[in-house]
Amino acid sequence: MLIKRAPELQSSEQTPKQIYLERRKFIAGLSLAAGASLAGKNLWNLLAPSAHVHASNKLSGVVKSSYRTDETQTPYEDATHYNNFYEFGTDKSDPAKNAQNFRTSPWTVTVDGEVKKPRKFSMDEILKLAPLEERVYRHRCVEAWSMVVPWIGYSFSELAKLVEPTPKARYVAFESYYDPRQMPLGSRAGIPLPYVDGLRLDEAMHPLALLTVGMYGESLPNQDGAPVRMILPWKYGFKSIKSLVRIRFVKDQPPVTWNLANSREYGFYSNVNPAVDHPRWTQAKERRLGEFFKRPTLMFNGYADQVAGLYSGMDLRKNF
Ligand code: MTE
């Protein structure tokens, strides 16, 4: 279950610590005065929105994309404190705690393999490579919870066309950063690291595939995959690989971390599919964070109109 935590302070741009602590004391006092703890909690939520301290920086020049659902957006606090990022621990609350000091600058992403123009991109180059768009996507984890998140980035194809994939490129292999010194819990994650994932070239080139540098108007918090990750809204969340350092265009289907860890339970494609259950639980329904009743899961997470054509003629039970 979702545990809301008081956010931690990280950078000098945020509310000065003393003011923040005073405000907390003041609100805590009000909450006590209000009596019952439930009333206090509601009062806290009403009075304390500014006490939520962002660890990231505002991104400028972001345009609103037409790729957006008008469903209620998941609160920032929930989307940034209920995470899977096994390099920083396996509990949902671990990444927000343990990734705070993760060094994401300087950062480069190497793009190579079957391309005419292999190159290394600095984070600065990635941020300026194409206009930044805000896209509000449904985000559905294989564990049957979901969120609605305003991500910021641009289609992965923008980067791909700069390196000019050769006709031999049929897949794209992605790799996350891994440094056991900065990620000591990685050795206990129970999955092979560095985290890797892959897509067929046509999936990667689909306009919905988002090279993501921010969320909620700001750069990505560390726990959400700073400084750059993929977001693939029609696939289970584990395909949305975080903290990318390498992208390779390749001939053969590349390995996928969760498939390496357990091939019976996690396939290469992992398209959201309510008709194909996980061996240990149903995928027909999901719990949207913050909601009590489960809701039906939609084929391709509601993006069937856009992506179903990528899989025409394929047996999606076999290719799960
Ligand atoms: N990327 C890396 N490097 N390590 C991870 O453990 N977890 C995946 C995916 N990307 C993961 C990762 C899983 S299981 C999910 S559901 C999403 O990230 C979660 O993204 P979020 O925490 O931003 O919601």
Side-chain angles (χ1 to χ4, degrees), residues 83-87 139 141 145 147 151 176 195 224 229 237-238 240-242:
N83 299 103
N84 278 332
F85 198 167
Y86 274 42
E87 290 86 331
H139 181 49
C141 182
W145 49 265
M147 308 185 193
W151 302 108
S176 292
Y195 199 97
D224 283 276
R229 70 180 294 184
F238 75 83
S240 292
I241 184 169
K242 295 179 169 181

Side-chain angles (χ1 to χ4, degrees), residues 65-78:
S65 159
S66 55
Y67 288 118
R68 54 199 307 117
T69 167
D70 56 10
E71 289 170 46
T72 307
Q73 292 178 22
T74 301
Y76 175 91
E77 285 302 312
D78 296 355

Side-chain angles (χ1 to χ4, degrees), residues 85-91 94 178 183-196 256-263 265-266 280:
F85 198 167
Y86 274 42
E87 290 86 331
F88 293 106
T90 54
D91 200 86
D94 282 344
Y178 181 51
M183 300 158 158
L185 293 178
S187 60
R188 288 195 262 145
I191 54 173
L193 295 173
Y195 199 97
V196 291
V256 166
T257 289
W258 278 98
N259 179 256
L260 294 174
N262 188 338
S263 60
E265 299 193 352
Y266 307 102
R280 289 183 281 133

Side-chain angles (χ1 to χ4, degrees), residues 235-272:
K235 292 180 175 281
Y236 292 121
F238 75 83
K239 301 289 292 177
S240 292
I241 184 169
K242 295 179 169 181
S243 303
L244 277 173
V245 286
R246 188 156 193 209
I247 298 167
R248 262 179 95 73
F249 290 78
V250 293
K251 284 184 219 147
D252 301 319
Q253 184 174 300
V256 166
T257 289
W258 278 98
N259 179 256
L260 294 174
N262 188 338
S263 60
R264 213 175 70 83
E265 299 193 352
Y266 307 102
F268 174 79
Y269 286 96
S270 281
N271 293 315
V272 174

